[in-house]
Amino acid sequence: MKIGLLGMGTIGSGVFEIAQKLDGIEVKKVLEKRFQADYITDKIEDITTDPEIELVVETMGGLHPAYEFASEVLKNGKHFVTANKLLVSAYGEELTALAHEKGVAFLYGAACGGGIAYLANLKIAREIDRVTALGGILNGTTNYILDSMQSRDMDYAQALSEAQALGYAERDPSSDVDGLDTQRKLILASSVGFDAYIKPEDIPTRGISAVKMADVTYARAHNLVIRLCARAERNAEGAISAYVEPTLVAANAPEAAILVNVNYAWYSGESYGLMSYIGQGAGKLPTAANVLRDVQSVSAGARYMTSENCKRVQPDNSAACHPYYIRIADASAIPAEWIARSEVLDGETCIETVPVSVQEMHNLMANHKDAFFAGIQRG
Amino acid sequence: MKIGLLGMGTIGSGVFEIAQKLDGIEVKKVLEKRFQADYITDKIEDITTDPEIELVVETMGGLHPAYEFASEVLKNGKHFVTANKLLVSAYGEELTALAHEKGVAFLYGAACGGGIAYLANLKIAREIDRVTALGGILNGTTNYILDSMQSRDMDYAQALSEAQALGYAERDPSSDVDGLDTQRKLILASSVGFDAYIKPEDIPTRGISAVKMADVTYARAHNLVIRLCARAERNAEGAISAYVEPTLVAANAPEAAILVNVNYAWYSGESYGLMSYIGQGAGKLPTAANVLRDVQSVSAGARYMTSENCKRVQPDNSAACHPYYIRIADASAIPAEWIARSEVLDGETCIETVPVSVQEMHNLMANHKDAFFAGIQRG
């Protein structure tokens, strides 16, 4: 199969490199403005109108012009494979509908999990089983920062700065540290696992930018480890909860064994039980390998990540309840009936709550951006 | 697709139950002597000669008559899917060749990993990447015993007896506790990941039946956890090492987070890096779900777990070296130059060695069945 490639950055060059070694796949043309070669063009039409190109891989990232190019590719009756979570979390529903209309494939297995074949397996689990819950540690940058603080006693600023120096974090780290990258991946996983499209603004999302060493001290003292986790759950009636928040997990939980920038993705099904995947959530070759897995799947007949019944769902987080840890300057902001216990560590008031709904907690804490809070999951 | 099912035991009844819910799959006939129903027969010919049956699932277990039935199914031009690791580790090469000759499928995804889609993903990794190493905690019974000893201070006999009461261990537990079940799964994983058939007798294999609380005490004192691990590795020249042995892993390693009867399977590829899978390694519904995953794959065009280049390989464990822990009554049996340090715990001499080759260690310890030894993997 001859393919076109949009973008020759980190992931794109990985796709190009691995594709050279695979039988049956030829990268015929690459859209790229920064280099020149006989297979490189700077005009999208050279790719979308090439009758020999059956499939186009997009590894440019960003919303525009990735969205316009994706539409053009699909309208021209070519299969489309992308690793772009921003694109899919914003336009996945529309692009999937367009792909269905044109009878071509639209796969995005590498857009959540990077090198981990999480979505590909989750799709099969949805087809064979009933998936009841899913989630994980879906962002390597924040895990690197949290692990550095906990394994190497670095403070947040040091750990972030090291992550930036290593290329794990962007100069503007907000999409990672504020949990938005994790949120987008949760949207993708929910689409695949639950056949449900969820809007970003409907997912209560809190990142790690307020974390301090006092929180690390608290976690250690209670044999817990801080991780940034996504979680979505579907009850028997089909109602879905979905949220992203720092989580204190038991020190012997699998999440606690996820170090540096590694990712951890899981789902739970009525037949399968709990299935977890650990691996490289980003990076040139792991992600590129998963992009090519999608390309091979299209060759073998795969078409969509979601079924034709996939529909928009408004999550309900009012019934998702668990205890929380809160460190806040003004403890009087927390309703007294929520407080199970509190202690002072490094001069900070650390509160542990009774089970509180995700909705109520995120609503309250939206007014306290400097406070750090985390769900508690003792296992 | 109409399928036949050989055996209605635990896994077979799970396959029957899940298949009822799936579109496009109908269990037309079941071979079973213990029950009667209109879809049940006690004659294999009723299934192998039924022109409507395109695929046969075998969940009887055991070598005979599973082997004879598998051959009959394939000779009659029907696809064959099995969860029987004993069958595949002994006859996989021959049955795959027969399936190729007849142009039908032979898949065994659930025979290693149970509910974990390990082999299915490993196959794709082999096709896209170069797999360099693989292994894991592939036996839930022994993990249950080791975890009970370490998490709940039970001695070996108590833990085994509890595992038997829970149905995790057989009355004769030798195939689990002596590492043979793990060895068979390593053979399957090597066939898929390396395109290499390895004979059981060529894999140095040591189980856990000699483990005592003194070993647990030693591991705890050194911040290590005891697990039974399989490992196979392929060097740049293509030589393969493969062995099964107890392993002391770092307390913060993912292996240490594998509790009760859960399984952990991993592979490492040049592009993918390290990818790990955690889940239910056995059990009715998880394993049955993975059997049906194979059935769906056959519908979608999948045919074999190995490529046509899969060939018999003699592993070489002389260059696979690492430090070992040894507890042995007669410490003079250990060459003095191997000993890095030793200490007396609970009246037992516990030795830690310099790196020693797997081949040499297993050769020596074959004469000391009462001693316990374990590779040390500090991470």
Side-chain angles (χ1 to χ4, degrees):
Chain A
M1 184 162 63
K2 291 191 164 69
I3 72 175
L5 178 59
L6 310 185
M8 194 73 159
T10 304
I11 310 300
S13 58
V15 170
F16 192 84
E17 186 180 324
I18 297 176
Q20 308 291 314
K21 302 182 206 163
L22 297 180
D23 289 337
I25 295 180
E26 181 198 333
V27 179
K28 186 180 177 195
K29 284 180 188 163
V30 177
L31 181 75
E32 177 59 63
K33 292 189 197 304
R34 292 171 296 177
F35 326 112
Q36 292 202 326
D38 54 358
Y39 55 84
I40 285 183
T41 174
D42 59 1
K43 293 183 196 64
I44 182 71
E45 300 73 29
D46 287 346
I47 291 176
T48 52
T49 65
D50 185 327
E52 281 195 344
I53 291 177
E54 291 178 66
L55 182 152
V56 175
V57 168
E58 184 267 316
T59 55
M60 309 163 53
L63 268 187
H64 304 285
Y67 164 69
E68 290 74 17
F69 289 176
S71 305
E72 272 306 295
V73 167
L74 293 169
K75 282 177 188 159
N76 279 280
K78 299 184 190 308
H79 306 302
F80 186 68
V81 168
T82 182
N84 184 337
K85 57 194 161 286
L86 191 58
L87 174 68
V88 182
S89 63
Y91 294 106
E93 184 176 3
E94 177 186 332
L95 293 173
T96 299
L98 180 58
H100 269 287
E101 186 190 320
K102 296 293 177 178
V104 292
F106 175 45
L107 296 185
Y108 46 87
C112 167
I116 304 174
Y118 177 53
L119 295 188
N121 284 283
L122 181 55
K123 172 178 185 283
I124 295 169
R126 184 196 73 228
E127 291 167 347
I128 292 178
D129 197 2
R130 182 176 187 276
V131 175
T132 52
L134 54 84
I137 299 168
L138 304 177
N139 179 272
T141 307
T142 45
N143 204 67
Y144 188 85
I145 294 170
L146 291 171
D147 182 40
S148 299
M149 293 178 71
Q150 294 172 101
S151 302
R152 297 188 291 144
D153 284 316
M154 298 176 93
D155 70 21
Y156 177 78
Q158 278 180 300
L160 169 59
S161 155
E162 186 179 273
Q164 287 171 319
L166 289 167
Y168 297 156
E170 311 274 327
R171 195 171 301 181
D172 172 3
S174 55
S175 88
D176 289 324
V177 299
D178 293 339
L180 302 176
D181 177 82
T182 300
Q183 180 199 69
R184 287 168 197 139
K185 290 170 178 166
L186 184 60
I187 291 171
L188 270 52
S190 297
S191 74
V192 176
F194 298 140
D195 248 344
Y197 293 118
I198 300 176
K199 286 187 184 171
E201 59 268 30
D202 290 338
I203 301 181
T205 299
R206 185 76 163 215
I208 63 159
S209 58
V211 69
K212 284 190 190 175
M213 283 310 289
D215 308 311
V216 171
T217 305
Y218 184 90
R220 272 188 200 143
H222 292 80
N223 210 23
L224 299 166
V225 173
I226 310 172
R227 295 288 182 252
L228 179 63
C229 295
R231 185 180 180 97
E233 192 154 1
R234 178 162 64 166
N235 69 17
E237 289 74 45
I240 289 174
S241 64
Y243 51 93
V244 174
E245 62 188 20
T247 307
L248 297 182
V249 300
N252 70 344
E255 285 91 337
I258 308 307
L259 305 181
V260 294
N261 64 338
V262 171
N263 278 205
Y264 171 79
W266 62 270
Y267 52 77
S268 199
E270 288 179 353
S271 294
Y272 273 118
L274 177 62
M275 292 284 156
S276 307
Y277 299 75
I278 303 174
Q280 302 299 314
K284 176 179 167 174
L285 292 177
T287 308
N290 254 3
V291 167
L292 284 159
R293 177 180 174 138
D294 274 353
V295 173
Q296 300 275 44
S297 294
V298 174
S299 285
R303 289 297 176 262
Y304 312 104
M305 305 297 289
T306 51
S307 88
E308 294 196 49
N309 302 320
C310 189
K311 58 175 190 289
R312 189 161 286 276
V313 168
Q314 169 88 35
D316 176 1
N317 291 299
S318 60
C321 292
H322 50 252
Y324 278 92
Y325 161 83
I326 307 172
R327 177 185 43 75
I328 190 165
D330 176 14
S332 70
I334 310 299
E337 67 273 21
W338 286 10
I339 300 177
R341 66 186 69 91
S342 75
E343 63 189 91
V344 176
L345 266 179
D346 298 357
E348 307 267 5
T349 304
C350 299
I351 292 169
E352 205 166 307
T353 74
V354 298
V356 173
S357 84
V358 169
Q359 191 63 59
E360 285 184 293
M361 183 57 73
H362 282 253
N363 283 350
L364 177 72
M365 299 306 285
N367 303 316
H368 301 277
K369 292 292 185 194
D370 291 342
F372 180 75
F373 74 100
I376 301 178
Q377 184 184 307
R378 283 212 162 79
Chain B
M1 182 162 65
K2 292 193 165 67
I3 72 175
L5 178 59
L6 309 184
M8 194 75 157
T10 305
I11 309 300
S13 57
V15 170
F16 192 83
E17 185 180 323
I18 298 176
Q20 308 291 315
K21 303 183 206 163
L22 297 180
D23 289 338
I25 295 180
E26 181 198 332
V27 180
K28 186 180 176 195
K29 284 181 189 163
V30 178
L31 181 75
E32 178 59 64
K33 292 189 199 301
R34 292 171 294 176
F35 327 112
Q36 292 202 326
D38 55 359
Y39 55 83
I40 285 184
T41 173
D42 59 0
K43 294 184 194 63
I44 182 72
E45 300 72 31
D46 287 346
I47 292 175
T48 52
T49 64
D50 185 326
E52 282 194 344
I53 291 177
E54 290 178 65
L55 182 150
V56 174
V57 167
E58 184 268 315
T59 55
M60 308 163 53
L63 269 186
H64 305 285
Y67 163 70
E68 290 74 16
F69 289 177
S71 305
E72 272 306 295
V73 167
L74 293 169
K75 282 178 189 158
N76 278 280
K78 300 185 191 306
H79 307 302
F80 186 68
V81 167
T82 181
N84 185 337
K85 56 195 162 287
L86 191 59
L87 174 67
V88 182
S89 64
Y91 294 106
E93 184 175 3
E94 178 186 332
L95 293 173
T96 299
L98 181 57
H100 270 288
E101 187 191 319
K102 296 293 177 178
V104 292
F106 174 45
L107 297 186
Y108 46 86
C112 168
I116 305 174
Y118 177 53
L119 295 188
N121 283 283
L122 181 56
K123 171 178 186 283
I124 295 170
R126 183 196 75 228
E127 291 167 349
I128 291 179
D129 197 3
R130 183 177 187 278
V131 175
T132 52
L134 53 84
I137 299 169
L138 303 178
N139 179 272
T141 307
T142 46
N143 204 67
Y144 187 86
I145 294 170
L146 291 171
D147 182 40
S148 299
M149 293 178 71
Q150 295 172 98
S151 302
R152 298 188 290 143
D153 284 316
M154 299 176 92
D155 69 21
Y156 176 79
Q158 278 180 300
L160 169 60
S161 155
E162 186 179 274
Q164 286 170 319
L166 289 167
Y168 296 157
E170 310 273 330
R171 195 171 301 182
D172 173 2
S174 56
S175 88
D176 289 324
V177 300
D178 292 340
L180 301 176
D181 177 83
T182 301
Q183 179 199 70
R184 288 169 197 139
K185 290 169 177 165
L186 185 61
I187 291 172
L188 270 52
S190 297
S191 74
V192 176
F194 298 142
D195 248 344
Y197 293 117
I198 300 176
K199 285 187 186 170
E201 59 269 30
D202 290 339
I203 300 181
T205 299
R206 186 76 164 215
I208 63 159
S209 58
V211 69
K212 284 190 189 173
M213 284 310 289
D215 308 310
V216 171
T217 304
Y218 185 91
R220 273 188 199 142
H222 293 80
N223 210 23
L224 299 166
V225 173
I226 310 172
R227 294 288 181 253
L228 179 62
C229 296
R231 185 181 180 95
E233 191 154 2
R234 178 163 64 166
N235 69 16
E237 288 76 43
I240 289 174
S241 64
Y243 52 94
V244 174
E245 63 188 20
T247 307
L248 296 181
V249 300
N252 70 344
E255 286 91 338
I258 307 306
L259 305 181
V260 292
N261 64 337
V262 171
N263 278 204
Y264 171 78
W266 61 271
Y267 52 77
S268 198
E270 288 178 352
S271 293
Y272 273 117
L274 177 63
M275 293 284 155
S276 306
Y277 299 75
I278 303 174
Q280 302 300 314
K284 175 179 167 175
L285 292 177
T287 308
N290 254 2
V291 167
L292 284 158
R293 177 180 173 138
D294 274 354
V295 173
Q296 300 274 46
S297 294
V298 173
S299 285
R303 289 297 177 261
Y304 312 104
M305 305 297 289
T306 52
S307 88
E308 295 198 48
N309 302 320
C310 189
K311 58 175 190 290
R312 189 160 285 277
V313 168
Q314 168 87 35
D316 176 0
N317 291 298
S318 60
C321 291
H322 50 252
Y324 278 92
Y325 161 82
I326 307 172
R327 176 185 46 73
I328 189 166
D330 176 14
S332 71
I334 311 300
E337 66 273 22
W338 285 9
I339 300 176
R341 67 186 68 89
S342 74
E343 62 190 272
V344 176
L345 266 177
D346 299 355
E348 305 268 6
T349 304
C350 300
I351 293 169
E352 205 167 307
T353 74
V354 299
V356 173
S357 83
V358 169
Q359 191 64 59
E360 284 183 295
M361 183 59 73
H362 283 253
N363 283 351
L364 177 71
M365 299 307 286
N367 303 316
H368 301 279
K369 293 292 185 194
D370 291 342
F372 179 75
F373 75 100
I376 300 177
Q377 186 184 305
R378 283 212 163 78

